Amino acid sequence: MNVGRNDPCPCGSGKKYKKCHGGKEVVSINEVIDEHIFQILEQFYLENPEQRDMFELNMHLTKWQNELKGFLPIDQVDHLAVDHFLFVKRQDIWIKYIERRLQKAVRPSIIKLLEQWKHPLVIIGEVIKMEDGFIKLKDVVDGHIYNLVKLDEVNPRIGEYAMSMFLPDSRQDADAIMVISGITFLPNRLEDAMKDIKAFAKKTKLSTQEFYNEHWLECCVLLNKKSQPIMTLKQVEMLTILEDFIEEYEIEEENLLNFFKVYLMKVSPNPRKAESVVAGLIRFGQEYLSIVEFPWTNKKIAEIFEVSTSTIQKYFEEMEEFFISINEDFEEEQIPRNVIFELGTYPRLMEFKNWELMKHLDNDELENEADLKAHLSKVMNKPYKPKNKEEDAQLNVYEGYFAETEKIRANHWRIAELLNPTNPDVLLHQAELTEDVNKAKELYMLAISEAKKQFDDSYEIAWAFAENRPYLRALFTYGVWQFEQGNFKEANSYFSKLLKLNPNDNQGVRYIAVSTLLHLQKYKEAQQILHDYKDQNDPIFIYLFVYLQKLQNLIHEEMRELLAVNYFAMKLLDDKPVPQAFPKSAAVAAGSEEEAQIIYTLLSGLV
């Protein structure tokens, strides 16, 4: 059925379609209703959990994380726990929201659906058939057959098991269900665990939904205990994508394939999109395995696999850390890499791991070197369980920085703020979000003040101590903010301080420090920094050096030819688009478009 432009909009708003969801085209009623349903669910997650619920949610998350260590990646465990909290443990939150939506709903089909939604379903079901746009799931407890509305880019195999929170969808049929926000598929080798769950349910004498509602975590624990360290279907999918990619591009690289198999088995990545990990692998192959067949920039890799560059960076860093951990004689300078420099105001994944390791060691009494080595072997790469609210807040801060989705990221930041509102990273995050310049400055200064309290100046190189990083991060972030506000004198004072505290410049301060000095026309000081960090193979260094000469009218034609090290930067300087913000996290390759954007940002306003 089609809706005309002057007909009432099927979303139930009471407006004409052309004034609501309409345009020049007509549209299917189901398409409009689908969009309205999506908006209802999306709005729920935007509004919840509220601040008053965060402490209880944090306790709930901690319990789930401790019970399900090693079962699924931490973000998936968090996803299950948050949905269980919002739709089961604190179902009153969901019901109140639905009742508010019912008061606004007009269309009968929406009203009927919302009434059914008051009772979300928890289901563990076996995939028994795929037909007519549905995935047929057989509940492992009572054998009921559900018709799961098929999801885009989800193709489970017969015999796999699906577990999630669902909502009834009577628009399709009486047994139709839809996923609320995400779904986890488990391999068919868990049939023994499913039998145990069925026996457990029978023993409780509860109805199926009562059983799931009360014992959802216990079911997950049973599945965790029965899990075996063999390749999952998701991992097989990732391996297949890589093999198809190697065949399509005629790449001969056995080392890449062998490394990936070991990585899959040892690290067990479980992304929402399998292509994300393979894209990270291609980047890793460029950096560490010298694979000349991969001539692409990060942006090109992202386009090939249809993922974001930030996701590529996440899995690249994870593989980098794993690669280092399995090579005892590894020396970073012996590995040929195309990355010129890693820079940005955000922490890197290695900082998170170092912080966890430091906390493991801080909380254990070690009497001699043998004890230390034994303990290191025991705790290496093991998640750290916080001992107090301050540690719990910092753990959530790191999880927030590295979360894969915006929803999970926001939850971690909310929890961190609740646990320790004066945590320096929490204050930096708040400053980043506010549009009030005065409020932002106040938050940045408070972040610097709080971070300085934990700063240990006894270290010759401040960066060497993980707990010094928040202070260095706060100084850098505030300096970049002042730079972007055009307050170059203020920015310069912070960049100068950072280079004294951390002369190795692990953050990439040198580049924006030189740009700031050029804006201030302090050419001798800019020249000194370029001399201290001289790298004639670094295109960013070359561009800054050439423009320093240009601003002093010392440039000659041979210098101009040096700019050919990055064609993309030359084009940006000719076209003069709006510059991007200084990156929060970046690891750029020489000659890449990403590097060009950084160069253009640094030179913007000078040319």
Side-chain angles (χ1 to χ4, degrees):
M1 180 179 178
N2 289 331
V3 181
R5 298 185 69 229
N6 290 314
D7 293 335
C9 185
C11 76
S13 65
K15 300 177 183 178
K16 286 185 178 182
Y17 175 65
K18 67 182 180 182
K19 297 289 187 180
C20 190
H21 283 83
K24 294 181 180 180
E25 305 292 332
V26 293
V27 68
S28 160
I29 288 179
N30 281 337
E31 289 176 347
V32 176
I33 293 177
D34 282 343
E35 181 187 347
H36 189 53
I37 288 171
F38 173 78
Q39 290 172 349
I40 291 173
L41 288 172
E42 184 179 45
Q43 189 62 36
F44 174 71
Y45 281 109
L46 289 174
E47 294 179 10
N48 295 285
E50 295 181 10
Q51 187 71 30
R52 61 189 177 190
D53 302 318
M54 292 305 296
F55 183 78
E56 187 180 359
L57 172 59
N58 183 48
M59 298 301 103
H60 190 71
L61 276 170
T62 301
K63 181 178 180 181
W64 279 61
Q65 290 166 355
N66 291 337
E67 292 286 350
L68 298 179
K69 247 177 224 178
F71 175 44
L72 294 170
I74 189 68
D75 60 333
Q76 289 196 33
V77 172
D78 287 353
H79 175 87
L80 288 171
V82 169
D83 278 357
H84 181 266
F85 179 83
L86 292 174
F87 294 95
V88 176
K89 184 175 182 181
R90 289 291 310 277
Q91 199 175 86
D92 59 296
I93 296 173
W94 170 247
I95 290 175
K96 286 178 183 177
Y97 174 76
I98 289 299
E99 287 176 345
R100 290 200 307 272
R101 299 304 302 228
L102 276 167
Q103 291 174 3
K104 298 177 182 179
V106 176
R107 190 169 183 84
S109 58
I110 294 291
I111 293 172
K112 180 180 178 182
L113 200 60
L114 291 177
E115 287 288 355
Q116 294 172 341
W117 279 11
K118 289 182 179 179
H119 306 287
L121 300 170
V122 183
I123 298 172
I124 303 177
E126 179 185 0
V127 178
I128 59 172
K129 199 173 184 180
M130 312 269 286
E131 66 176 19
D132 300 329
F134 290 105
I135 301 171
K136 288 194 172 290
L137 297 179
K138 182 180 180 181
D139 192 285
V140 300
V141 171
D142 61 18
H144 187 86
I145 307 295
Y146 293 97
N147 292 322
L148 172 61
V149 179
K150 199 169 184 310
L151 307 168
D152 292 337
E153 300 181 0
V154 174
N155 294 295
R157 301 186 183 185
I158 305 301
E160 274 190 60
Y161 295 96
M163 57 185 289
S164 188
M165 303 283 307
F166 301 90
L167 292 171
D169 189 357
S170 59
R171 297 174 303 147
Q172 313 293 337
D173 63 49
D175 294 314
I177 54 174
M178 59 184 289
V179 173
I180 293 178
S181 62
I183 187 168
T184 300
F185 286 98
L186 303 170
N188 57 9
R189 57 186 168 80
L190 292 172
E191 46 276 279
D192 287 346
M194 300 305 172
K195 290 177 182 177
D196 290 346
I197 289 172
K198 184 175 182 179
F200 180 23
K202 186 176 180 180
K203 188 176 180 180
T204 65
K205 298 182 179 180
L206 298 170
S207 70
T208 302
Q209 282 306 305
E210 287 174 339
F211 167 72
Y212 281 137
N213 287 347
E214 291 188 25
H215 301 289
W216 185 229
L217 177 57
E218 289 93 328
C219 289
C220 293
V221 170
L222 278 172
L223 292 170
N224 187 17
K225 289 180 179 178
K226 294 288 184 178
S227 297
Q228 300 298 321
I230 65 175
M231 196 168 285
T232 66
L233 290 172
K234 176 68 79 173
Q235 291 166 344
V236 170
E237 180 187 0
M238 288 184 269
L239 196 59
T240 302
I241 291 170
L242 175 61
E243 290 171 343
D244 290 345
F245 179 81
I246 288 173
E247 182 179 352
E248 180 180 352
Y249 288 89
E250 298 180 350
I251 296 166
E252 295 181 6
E253 189 48 62
E254 187 177 349
N255 288 341
L256 185 73
L257 194 58
N258 290 338
F259 168 79
F260 196 44
K261 289 177 181 177
V262 175
Y263 164 78
L264 291 177
M265 296 299 294
K266 296 291 186 181
V267 180
S268 300
N270 197 351
R272 296 178 183 278
K273 188 174 183 180
E275 286 82 0
S276 301
V277 179
V278 183
L281 176 72
I282 302 307
R283 162 82 189 283
F284 175 83
Q286 289 178 318
E287 308 295 344
Y288 281 95
L289 300 180
S290 300
I291 299 175
V292 296
E293 292 92 338
F294 298 165
W296 309 295
T297 63
N298 268 6
K299 184 177 180 181
K300 182 62 177 176
I301 296 172
E303 289 174 359
I304 291 172
F305 291 99
E306 297 182 350
V307 298
S308 68
T309 54
S310 61
T311 298
I312 294 175
Q313 179 69 13
K314 172 186 175 180
Y315 287 107
F316 162 74
E317 290 184 1
E318 186 174 87
M319 290 177 199
E320 180 182 53
E321 182 187 353
F322 174 66
F323 183 75
I324 294 171
S325 72
I326 61 176
N327 286 274
E328 294 181 353
D329 299 325
F330 170 79
E331 291 184 16
E332 188 169 359
E333 57 272 17
Q334 294 176 351
I335 304 296
R337 301 184 63 191
N338 295 331
V339 169
I340 291 301
F341 201 77
E342 291 184 302
L343 75 166
T345 53
Y346 278 7
R348 296 178 197 134
L349 187 61
M350 191 63 78
E351 177 185 326
F352 182 15
K353 300 303 179 185
N354 287 342
W355 179 84
E356 285 192 303
L357 182 60
M358 182 190 71
K359 290 300 176 183
H360 276 302
L361 298 179
D362 281 351
N363 285 277
D364 292 271
E365 295 183 6
L366 305 170
E367 297 181 357
N368 52 53
E369 187 176 349
D371 287 345
L372 175 61
K373 287 183 177 179
H375 188 67
L376 275 173
S377 176
K378 179 181 176 183
V379 303
M380 186 69 72
N381 296 322
K382 293 287 181 66
Y384 174 70
K385 184 178 179 181
K387 300 294 191 297
N388 53 53
K389 285 186 178 181
E390 287 73 21
E391 290 183 353
D392 202 355
Q394 191 61 44
L395 180 64
N396 275 282
V397 160
Y398 285 126
E399 294 286 4
Y401 276 123
F402 300 111
E404 191 170 340
T405 69
E406 194 59 43
K407 172 187 166 186
I408 295 172
R409 184 179 296 112
N411 279 337
H412 281 300
W413 281 112
R414 287 177 185 173
I415 292 169
E417 182 181 354
L418 180 66
L419 289 168
N420 185 8
T422 59
N423 176 285
D425 285 291
V426 167
L427 295 167
L428 291 177
H429 180 68
Q430 291 174 341
E432 184 181 313
L433 294 179
T434 185
E435 295 181 0
D436 185 324
V437 174
N438 292 327
K439 181 64 175 176
K441 183 175 182 179
E442 179 185 338
L443 288 166
Y444 280 126
M445 296 307 295
L446 184 56
I448 292 171
S449 174
E450 290 296 323
K452 192 173 183 180
K453 293 177 182 178
Q454 66 187 50
F455 183 76
D456 188 342
D457 60 5
S458 65
Y459 286 82
E460 185 176 351
I461 303 297
W463 185 262
F465 184 45
E467 290 205 342
N468 281 346
R469 305 280 181 90
Y471 181 55
L472 300 175
R473 182 157 52 251
L475 293 175
F476 192 17
T477 305
Y478 182 58
V480 170
W481 182 78
Q482 289 286 10
F483 176 90
E484 291 173 343
Q485 299 292 316
N487 302 326
F488 301 115
K489 185 176 181 180
E490 183 79 0
N492 180 52
S493 66
Y494 284 89
F495 297 148
S496 298
K497 185 172 185 176
L498 276 166
L499 291 176
K500 290 177 183 177
L501 288 171
N502 182 28
N504 288 342
D505 188 26
N506 307 77
Q507 297 166 286
V509 176
R510 68 187 78 165
Y511 300 115
I512 196 168
V514 170
S515 176
T516 303
L517 290 167
L518 295 183
H519 279 283
L520 293 170
Q521 299 182 7
K522 294 185 176 183
Y523 301 135
K524 287 185 179 180
E525 293 180 36
Q527 180 68 50
Q528 185 61 51
I529 294 178
L530 289 173
H531 178 269
D532 292 342
Y533 296 96
K534 186 175 182 180
D535 185 351
Q536 295 178 343
N537 296 315
D538 179 351
I540 302 179
F541 169 89
I542 291 170
Y543 266 84
L544 289 170
F545 171 76
V546 169
Y547 274 82
L548 171 61
Q549 307 311 309
K550 181 177 180 179
L551 291 168
Q552 299 177 91
N553 297 315
L554 300 174
I555 194 168
H556 51 78
E557 197 58 37
E558 288 182 6
M559 286 185 180
R560 295 182 191 276
E561 293 176 1
L562 294 173
L563 302 183
V565 293
N566 191 306
Y567 163 79
F568 299 109
M570 293 176 68
K571 191 171 188 310
L572 285 172
L573 288 164
D574 286 340
D575 295 345
K576 296 182 175 56
V578 176
Q580 297 181 1
F582 190 79
K584 294 178 172 63
S585 177
V588 295
S592 69
E593 291 182 64
E594 294 93 334
E595 179 188 69
Q597 289 289 353
I598 294 171
I599 291 171
Y600 181 63
T601 295
L602 294 174
L603 296 179
S604 182
L606 293 170
V607 296

